[in-house]
Amino acid sequence: MFFIKKTSLCSALMLLLGVFLVVPAMGQSRSTLRVIVTDEAGDALTGANVLVYDDGYNDIEQFCVTNFDGFCQVIIREQDWYRLKVSFIGFQNFEERIFLEEGDVVVKRIELIEQVGELGEVLVEEERGYTTGSLGITRVEAEDLSRVPSLSLDGDLMAYIKTVPGVISLGDQGGDLYIRGGSPIQNLVLVDNIPIIKPFHISNLFSAFPEQVVSNIDILAGGFDASYMSSTSAVIDVNLKTGDLVNHKASGSFSPYISSLFYEGPIQEKKSSMLVSGRVSTIKTFSGHLSPEKKDVEFYDVLARYSLHRDGFICNFTAILTDDRGKISDLRDSYLGWSNASFGGRCFGFDEYYARPFEISIGTTSFQNSERSTDGSTNNKSEVKQAFMRLDFEDYWFNQKFDYGINILAHTYRARVDSRFTFVDEARTDRFPMFQIYLRTTFDPTSNIRITPSLGTQSTIHFGPTLEPRLRVVTKPFGNNRSELSLAVGKYHQALDGFSDQRDAGTTFTIYRPNAAFAPLFSSIHRIVGLKNKIGSRIKTNVEAYYMTHNNVPVAKWTNIAQTFVLPAQANSRSYGVNTRVEYETRSLYLYLGYSWSKVRYKAATDDLGAWLDTPIFEYSPPHDQRHQLSTIASVDIGEFTVNITWELGSGRPFTKVFGFDFAIDVINTDPIEEPGVARTLFSEPYGSRLPYYHRLDASIERGFRISNDFSLEAQIGCLNVYDRNNVFYLDLNVLERVDQSPILPYAAIKISKL
């Protein structure tokens, strides 16, 4: 029955695609200009300015900014000659004279040529929804990743994202991120529209996305529009680069912590290409030699992308495999593991024969995580499989542009757990189909105000349609493009539930299940206001204040004694704070300062939470409530050398103190003289104390060498935790010992590249 329903939904979706491609758009008597902008290698240029001038005049008739496909379109009302101008920072401007007839749909594919020299001002700085400094959104370019030392010559998303204000990691093990108060399960990671649950490696130093495969990454920390659903906290949208359509390139790198191979090149020049990246950790082999501690962790990731470019469409097919195994703490016999196997394709159609541009995405992903011990006393496993088919359209109704789409998902959940998780049926399997729809538009009531409302809904057989209105407003308070005052509000729902024992930082094992089948849906309301400024041509500042509420968050019940079993409860939370960023950039120097002040509070009925305090409502700060967070980045070119330095400071996170110890005596069934009882640990108020401050300095220096016309070599030396700070990771209450984060980690790395 489930298969029949899923097949019927997919058939209906394909029929809908055919209808929208054939039926003309409203007002088709006007002219439509569709533009694709790429570099010479065929990689899409996101954020290029496309301007259409009246021929013979300097007045701008229409303009748009390219999206992550390098695409945008404009509607021209009158038949006439026009001048098309395209600009992008670092590239030569493109200009062409074109004639548009009434009812025409004209497609222009433009390759910009890289420009060497000082860069001028950008002609148009629109609020594009994805630019650095836009409200709640951090745009990360591949170059940004390279500025943060990461134990290898390739920059990495995981190393960089921890410098973003509002992003918290509990330590340098486990692969979990908390963004503006939300838990890891409330985050959504997308790669070519493929949802991936946990693409971060166990060492917390690497992700599945090294610098060389990334085009750009959008970190949406809140207030995002309804085209992004299935998340109540944050979205990390990874846009991969297109394999070079002209030249064959390859590289191999080695460091004591990770080794990698990379290839990109054309299959058919300017038509199709392949990109492949593979990395494997060497931490387990070399740790204990360069660093004082032996690390029992290992992982690998493989990413492949096939790109097909034709005159009227672009298709990308992506495969991602990851695998992680190891211990977070050597004090206990507990091995953690997780893996991803994800496959998908995304095709973007913009041919003049299509009534409207469209995008279709289809794929499947499988994630599993486990927790086991060598003696067999612990053997837990949880698995999530997802299949999806998504359609996105762009159209003009009543002279107004609209984006809208449909997404069909099918989830399968399996769990096999031991007696510690008494609330989960052993070997339980749940199937969970879901249907999502969104609609978004943008209009400008004045030249200094832009409003973007959106509306989304999602439903399954377990719950009826949700209503998720969202609104973003951007104003130019001083009437110029150098300052923007923005606000965003919205309601969010999530159906994927993940339960982990937050009381125990020594494990990240999570049980995944359909939320609505067991409890009310996760829901949240985001409220964000921000001001960004550009001072001169080199300084950018951004200040954001946010207030978010989350309902029905799963937490573990507390007792005042240590226990082996785990019971779930639900709590409501609120998080609020201020994030600030300052960036200064010249040709050879980049400086960054990020600061975050935040507060996260969970609240639940004392009886529901299991706490032993004499209050009807129990409120506490969870382990990821880090009040102060400061990050700095400095990257400077000195002659042939590049020096990268980061320094991070964080205030202490909450933890639960031990109150004391005693013996539990069964006075009814035993003789207390002969049986003194069972030793037990008594806890103080949950999360009533805080760990010491955390701070760490990382540094690297690298240089490139030209071996020949075809090969180059890069060499780097560096060190994480330069002054060997003993930062506390957590206090292991099971063995009553302190667990520290990584000590000093010196390294040397080399990379050979075929140009």
Side-chain angles (χ1 to χ4, degrees), residues 555 594 685 688:
V555 295
E685 179 182 340

Side-chain angles (χ1 to χ4, degrees), residues 140 142 145 209-217 238-241:
V140 183
L145 303 183
F209 312 115
E211 169 194 354
Q212 54 197 356
V213 305
V214 168
S215 174
N216 51 67
I217 301 167
V238 180
N239 297 311
L240 302 176
K241 66 179 291 187

Side-chain angles (χ1 to χ4, degrees), residues 136 177-190 195-197 218-237 386 390 407 409 411 434 436 456-458 463 466 468-470 490-497 515 521-526 548-551 553:
L177 293 174
Y178 300 79
I179 300 179
R180 289 190 176 177
S183 62
I185 190 59
Q186 294 175 274
N187 301 328
L188 173 66
V189 181
L190 294 173
I196 301 179
I197 289 181
D218 296 318
I219 303 170
L220 292 79
F224 42 91
D225 63 61
S227 63
Y228 294 99
M229 303 184 78
S230 302
S231 168
T232 53
S233 179
V235 176
I236 301 173
D237 193 357
Q386 304 179 72
R390 174 172 176 149
N407 190 19
L409 302 99
H411 298 77
M434 184 161 57
Q436 299 175 338
T457 182
Q458 51 187 322
F463 62 88
T466 63
E468 303 181 38
R470 304 172 190 181
K491 189 167 185 179
Y492 302 79
H493 288 91
Q494 179 177 330
L496 175 64
D497 180 6
N515 179 270
L521 283 178
F522 290 173
S523 65
S524 66
I525 297 178
H526 296 187
M548 300 183 181
T549 55
H550 300 273
N551 294 325
V553 179

